[in-house]
Amino acid sequence: MTLPEFLNPTPEQVAELRQLFKEKLEKDAAKVPVGGFHEHDLKWVFEGDGWLIKFLENNDINMKDSLKQLWETIEWRKTSGINDIREDNIRMEYINDGLMFPRGRDVDGKTVFIFKSKLYVRGTRNLDDLKKCFLYWIERIIREANDDLVTIVFDLTDAGLSNVDMDYTKYIINTLKNYYPCSLNYILIYDLPWILNATFQIIKKLLPAKAVDRLRNINNKNIREYIDEDNMQKCWGGKDDYVFEFIPEARKPMELPLTQNGTQNGILSKKVHFANLSPPESPMNESAVSKFPEHSDGEMLRINPQYTITFAKSGSDLVGTVEITNVDSKAVSYKIKTTAPEKFRVRPSTGVLLPSASITINVMLQQGQQINTINREKFLVMCIAVSNDISTNPQELAELWKTISAKSGLVEQHRLKCALPVNFDESGLESMFGSGVGNATSGHDQYGTVGGTYLGGGMTSMGGDKQMAHLQQTIAHLNDTTHRLEAQVKRNHKLQWITCILFVLLSVAIVYILKVEIKSNASQYCSTIEGGHH
């Protein structure tokens, strides 16, 4: 069984999608909503590459599916009036409640969009107005971040069954899945109560496979892997004591969105973000946010391969190699980081190279990881000039890098993508790694399945309508179960109050009986004494 190589969209493929859209626009002019598509959306299609790249990546560069989703998205934006949503036509009291708001950055430098679930009680707000508030915030965040990725945090602290609305949750997920492709950096579920575990599983089923890969169930112990203390809410154990206060948006002139490699309409932007997702125990951990060009020519290091690490079988392992050479006249210290430290073992991850010295970095996929997700990950090679007599002790090098900010102009950085070779044969690796890849059946359905979930077209599928029917039944069953549990909780609550009242009444009765008994015994005792005196 072979695994098709995942490709990043080329300029030619982007141009092809743009041309297909133009042809469809001319051919189906009668189907365009009254007034035509919005100027903003057409400008993003015809004058920039970033938006088109997202649709292509989301659909694995399948032109037919990419065009279909692009057309449906622009059509939806027009009919729903997305570009016209403003503070003067939404329910500002819902906004001011602080149910959802952007605040701070994750470790990757992406905007964090927070949902405070305990502030929402199902059935107490108009659902259509809530949807509009969500669209206001997501559009505003995209405008202010110039279409950069967004990390969503569902804060379920103190949340219960009444704070979860599956209809609203489904709307949010389906909107992001269908109309905002490749826009999520992470979906973080914070402090999930055990009673909502079933809801969490339903949310996972609703998400496309690529989004599930970014879904994390977190708590106050591991949240620092995704948000540092300075950007972390105080209630999560961080330093940010921010209390939500709405600030009106200062609208900026319309800009073209960034591409995934940090370019704007083909021109390299000054800075883009790189994920810093290393856990505390990783030798590649660093709290600083890294910003750097897609590829720098390199004045200190020469990287081979220059752009892509290609993985290949080595016995029962899947290994990629990178050779780095010091082309400077001074010694350099290097450090390797990755977007997925839990997936890879990197040896060595730090070190020192003297002038003209070279070293080969081995990158090995950890056992149990999905092979077909390799193409989504990236590596960052950083280096800085050091004295020739610097210590090569790993602990001392680790301390050195802790004192160096990734934002420093002294740090040289190189980004590498990951890939599998064309016609890669994964036979013999299935027992060591999860492939999740199935055979294509026909036409453009050339991309396999992950965990039985179809990836072609960018949306999960387990048999089309059958899957959706099954999912709807599961959701309906979950809603019924939720209502029954709520009713049971209310009954238990009433029984607890009744039990407490009966206990209090019984206690009062016992005390009263004891007082009467004591008084009666005291009277008899006094009578006995008086009789004795006589």
Side-chain angles (χ1 to χ4, degrees), residues 128-146:
D128 290 334
D129 289 333
L130 271 176
K131 292 176 180 178
K132 204 169 182 180
C133 289
F134 164 74
L135 292 173
Y136 165 80
W137 275 124
I138 200 71
E139 284 289 312
R140 175 173 172 174
I141 291 170
I142 287 174
R143 282 192 295 270
E144 293 178 345
N146 200 18

Side-chain angles (χ1 to χ4, degrees), residues 29-45:
K31 298 180 181 180
V32 175
V34 178
F37 292 137
H38 198 280
E39 175 191 5
H40 169 278
D41 301 333
L42 292 178
K43 183 172 183 179
W44 276 26
V45 172

Side-chain angles (χ1 to χ4, degrees), residues 94 97 105 121 152 178 181 266 287 298 305 318 338 364 391 424 470:
Y94 289 2
D97 283 346
R105 305 276 177 171
V121 179
I152 295 182
N178 296 329
S287 60
L318 200 59
T338 175
M364 184 179 298
S391 171
F424 173 72
H470 174 73

